[in-house]
Amino acid sequence: MDESPLQKREQQPQNPPARKPYAEADIRASDADRDRVAEILGEALAEGRLDPEEHSERIDAVYRAKTVGALEPLVRDLPAVPGGAVPRPAPRDRSGGEYAGSDGEADNLVAVFSGASRKGRWRVGRRTNAFACFGGVELDLTEAVFEHREVRINTVSIFGGTDIKLPENVTLRCTGTGIFGGFDVDSHESADPDAPVVVITGLALFGGTSAKRRVGRRLKSWGRGRG
């Protein structure tokens, strides 16, 4: 005997089976996740728990890590992390993506016993990471294309230096820390409330970070209204 439509509906599951969630270690790491681990490594270097060479190797691995699980071994042996666990990944929405405001891929510059630079006309992302160890990094944003309202530049300078040049009509702020080193940043609030905001942060250990606005070098236009 054929089943009625009502009987067929009663036999069907009311809700589709939930998709099996990914293990936390398999979640793709965000730039915020990498930055938190880099800060822990910077503190370990300042405390003498890591030597400059090992710190350099771990920092390089941090910014090459694709998942949260790949970050965990880099700080497992450091007491700065409770229980030896890596900081939890950045919050994500129900679809598994990061909430609005999280950053995309960062631009990474690494100079170890060498130099690295960005200059001329180039597109500035939300985040730029600069690491200088017995070397130097030069970031020239005077001709760069700004597509975001706020740009963050995270610098780590160890027996090296990072030199940043900016247009005169941007807002420049600094939250960096110097340990036997320093942050020489020409902080400035632009008169234009829509001007891009550049935030310099990071660590200078027996090294330095310099950020100056270049008088006469002005941004003529930028991505006003963008995030």
Side-chain angles (χ1 to χ4, degrees), residues 91-106:
R92 288 165 167 80
D93 60 25
R94 292 182 179 180
S95 65
E98 294 177 9
Y99 282 114
S102 59
D103 298 336
E105 291 296 324

PDB file of all heavy atoms in Angstrom, residues 91-106:
ATOM      1  N   PRO A  91      37.528  35.409  16.518  1.00  0.00           N
ATOM      2  CA  PRO A  91      36.137  34.990  16.397  1.00  0.00           C
ATOM      3  C   PRO A  91      35.705  34.833  14.941  1.00  0.00           C
ATOM      4  O   PRO A  91      36.142  35.572  14.068  1.00  0.00           O
ATOM      5  CB  PRO A  91      35.374  36.145  17.068  1.00  0.00           C
ATOM      6  CG  PRO A  91      36.363  36.804  17.940  1.00  0.00           C
ATOM      7  CD  PRO A  91      37.680  36.662  17.262  1.00  0.00           C
ATOM      8  N   ARG A  92      34.817  33.859  14.704  1.00  0.00           N
ATOM      9  CA  ARG A  92      34.316  33.601  13.361  1.00  0.00           C
ATOM     10  C   ARG A  92      32.801  33.533  13.398  1.00  0.00           C
ATOM     11  O   ARG A  92      32.215  33.250  14.428  1.00  0.00           O
ATOM     12  CB  ARG A  92      34.908  32.297  12.813  1.00  0.00           C
ATOM     13  CG  ARG A  92      36.393  32.439  12.463  1.00  0.00           C
ATOM     14  CD  ARG A  92      37.063  31.107  12.265  1.00  0.00           C
ATOM     15  NE  ARG A  92      38.351  31.261  11.658  1.00  0.00           N
ATOM     16  CZ  ARG A  92      39.457  31.606  12.288  1.00  0.00           C
ATOM     17  NH1 ARG A  92      39.423  31.860  13.576  1.00  0.00           N
ATOM     18  NH2 ARG A  92      40.602  31.718  11.650  1.00  0.00           N
ATOM     19  N   ASP A  93      32.183  33.802  12.251  1.00  0.00           N
ATOM     20  CA  ASP A  93      30.737  33.756  12.203  1.00  0.00           C
ATOM     21  C   ASP A  93      30.271  32.322  11.996  1.00  0.00           C
ATOM     22  O   ASP A  93      31.069  31.386  11.921  1.00  0.00           O
ATOM     23  CB  ASP A  93      30.196  34.680  11.106  1.00  0.00           C
ATOM     24  CG  ASP A  93      30.715  34.304   9.731  1.00  0.00           C
ATOM     25  OD1 ASP A  93      31.077  33.124   9.538  1.00  0.00           O
ATOM     26  OD2 ASP A  93      30.745  35.176   8.847  1.00  0.00           O
ATOM     27  N   ARG A  94      28.969  32.119  11.884  1.00  0.00           N
ATOM     28  CA  ARG A  94      28.429  30.765  11.805  1.00  0.00           C
ATOM     29  C   ARG A  94      28.855  30.025  10.545  1.00  0.00           C
ATOM     30  O   ARG A  94      28.865  28.805  10.505  1.00  0.00           O
ATOM     31  CB  ARG A  94      26.906  30.833  11.864  1.00  0.00           C
ATOM     32  CG  ARG A  94      26.375  31.288  13.227  1.00  0.00           C
ATOM     33  CD  ARG A  94      24.859  31.287  13.254  1.00  0.00           C
ATOM     34  NE  ARG A  94      24.373  31.707  14.558  1.00  0.00           N
ATOM     35  CZ  ARG A  94      23.081  31.791  14.850  1.00  0.00           C
ATOM     36  NH1 ARG A  94      22.172  31.526  13.936  1.00  0.00           N
ATOM     37  NH2 ARG A  94      22.716  32.176  16.050  1.00  0.00           N
ATOM     38  N   SER A  95      29.185  30.744   9.512  1.00  0.00           N
ATOM     39  CA  SER A  95      29.602  30.092   8.268  1.00  0.00           C
ATOM     40  C   SER A  95      31.056  29.679   8.309  1.00  0.00           C
ATOM     41  O   SER A  95      31.559  29.052   7.386  1.00  0.00           O
ATOM     42  CB  SER A  95      29.379  31.036   7.081  1.00  0.00           C
ATOM     43  OG  SER A  95      30.226  32.163   7.187  1.00  0.00           O
ATOM     44  N   GLY A  96      31.766  30.052   9.391  1.00  0.00           N
ATOM     45  CA  GLY A  96      33.169  29.686   9.512  1.00  0.00           C
ATOM     46  C   GLY A  96      34.110  30.799   9.107  1.00  0.00           C
ATOM     47  O   GLY A  96      35.315  30.691   9.282  1.00  0.00           O
ATOM     48  N   GLY A  97      33.605  31.895   8.567  1.00  0.00           N
ATOM     49  CA  GLY A  97      34.448  33.008   8.164  1.00  0.00           C
ATOM     50  C   GLY A  97      34.691  33.956   9.320  1.00  0.00           C
ATOM     51  O   GLY A  97      33.980  33.944  10.313  1.00  0.00           O
ATOM     52  N   GLU A  98      35.720  34.786   9.178  1.00  0.00           N
ATOM     53  CA  GLU A  98      36.021  35.741  10.232  1.00  0.00           C
ATOM     54  C   GLU A  98      35.010  36.875  10.196  1.00  0.00           C
ATOM     55  O   GLU A  98      34.483  37.221   9.159  1.00  0.00           O
ATOM     56  CB  GLU A  98      37.435  36.287  10.049  1.00  0.00           C
ATOM     57  CG  GLU A  98      38.494  35.212  10.239  1.00  0.00           C
ATOM     58  CD  GLU A  98      39.877  35.756   9.994  1.00  0.00           C
ATOM     59  OE1 GLU A  98      40.001  36.982   9.851  1.00  0.00           O
ATOM     60  OE2 GLU A  98      40.814  34.964   9.951  1.00  0.00           O
ATOM     61  N   TYR A  99      34.737  37.440  11.374  1.00  0.00           N
ATOM     62  CA  TYR A  99      33.820  38.554  11.442  1.00  0.00           C
ATOM     63  C   TYR A  99      34.371  39.746  10.668  1.00  0.00           C
ATOM     64  O   TYR A  99      35.577  39.888  10.474  1.00  0.00           O
ATOM     65  CB  TYR A  99      33.581  38.966  12.900  1.00  0.00           C
ATOM     66  CG  TYR A  99      32.637  38.055  13.625  1.00  0.00           C
ATOM     67  CD1 TYR A  99      33.083  37.271  14.673  1.00  0.00           C
ATOM     68  CD2 TYR A  99      31.303  37.973  13.247  1.00  0.00           C
ATOM     69  CE1 TYR A  99      32.199  36.427  15.351  1.00  0.00           C
ATOM     70  CE2 TYR A  99      30.426  37.137  13.928  1.00  0.00           C
ATOM     71  CZ  TYR A  99      30.881  36.375  14.968  1.00  0.00           C
ATOM     72  OH  TYR A  99      30.029  35.544  15.633  1.00  0.00           O
ATOM     73  N   ALA A 100      33.458  40.612  10.256  1.00  0.00           N
ATOM     74  CA  ALA A 100      33.868  41.815   9.548  1.00  0.00           C
ATOM     75  C   ALA A 100      34.842  42.597  10.407  1.00  0.00           C
ATOM     76  O   ALA A 100      34.686  42.721  11.617  1.00  0.00           O
ATOM     77  CB  ALA A 100      32.643  42.679   9.247  1.00  0.00           C
ATOM     78  N   GLY A 101      35.861  43.138   9.770  1.00  0.00           N
ATOM     79  CA  GLY A 101      36.873  43.885  10.497  1.00  0.00           C
ATOM     80  C   GLY A 101      38.153  43.093  10.642  1.00  0.00           C
ATOM     81  O   GLY A 101      39.206  43.650  10.918  1.00  0.00           O
ATOM     82  N   SER A 102      38.126  41.749  10.473  1.00  0.00           N
ATOM     83  CA  SER A 102      39.357  40.986  10.506  1.00  0.00           C
ATOM     84  C   SER A 102      40.081  41.204   9.197  1.00  0.00           C
ATOM     85  O   SER A 102      39.489  41.477   8.180  1.00  0.00           O
ATOM     86  CB  SER A 102      39.069  39.500  10.725  1.00  0.00           C
ATOM     87  OG  SER A 102      38.256  39.003   9.706  1.00  0.00           O
ATOM     88  N   ASP A 103      41.366  41.084   9.226  1.00  0.00           N
ATOM     89  CA  ASP A 103      42.164  41.458   8.088  1.00  0.00           C
ATOM     90  C   ASP A 103      42.387  40.306   7.134  1.00  0.00           C
ATOM     91  O   ASP A 103      42.319  39.138   7.493  1.00  0.00           O
ATOM     92  CB  ASP A 103      43.528  41.974   8.563  1.00  0.00           C
ATOM     93  CG  ASP A 103      43.371  43.213   9.417  1.00  0.00           C
ATOM     94  OD1 ASP A 103      42.357  43.907   9.277  1.00  0.00           O
ATOM     95  OD2 ASP A 103      44.266  43.470  10.218  1.00  0.00           O
ATOM     96  N   GLY A 104      42.673  40.672   5.905  1.00  0.00           N
ATOM     97  CA  GLY A 104      43.031  39.669   4.914  1.00  0.00           C
ATOM     98  C   GLY A 104      44.515  39.358   5.012  1.00  0.00           C
ATOM     99  O   GLY A 104      45.156  39.597   6.025  1.00  0.00           O
ATOM    100  N   GLU A 105      45.100  38.877   3.926  1.00  0.00           N
ATOM    101  CA  GLU A 105      46.505  38.517   3.933  1.00  0.00           C
ATOM    102  C   GLU A 105      47.364  39.756   4.181  1.00  0.00           C
ATOM    103  O   GLU A 105      47.121  40.827   3.640  1.00  0.00           O
ATOM    104  CB  GLU A 105      46.876  37.875   2.599  1.00  0.00           C
ATOM    105  CG  GLU A 105      46.260  36.502   2.385  1.00  0.00           C
ATOM    106  CD  GLU A 105      46.757  35.482   3.390  1.00  0.00           C
ATOM    107  OE1 GLU A 105      47.948  35.555   3.770  1.00  0.00           O
ATOM    108  OE2 GLU A 105      45.975  34.617   3.803  1.00  0.00           O
ATOM    109  N   ALA A 106      48.394  39.596   5.001  1.00  0.00           N
ATOM    110  CA  ALA A 106      49.291  40.704   5.306  1.00  0.00           C
ATOM    111  C   ALA A 106      50.470  40.695   4.345  1.00  0.00           C
ATOM    112  O   ALA A 106      50.825  39.674   3.755  1.00  0.00           O
ATOM    113  CB  ALA A 106      49.787  40.596   6.743  1.00  0.00           C
TER     114      ALA A 106
END
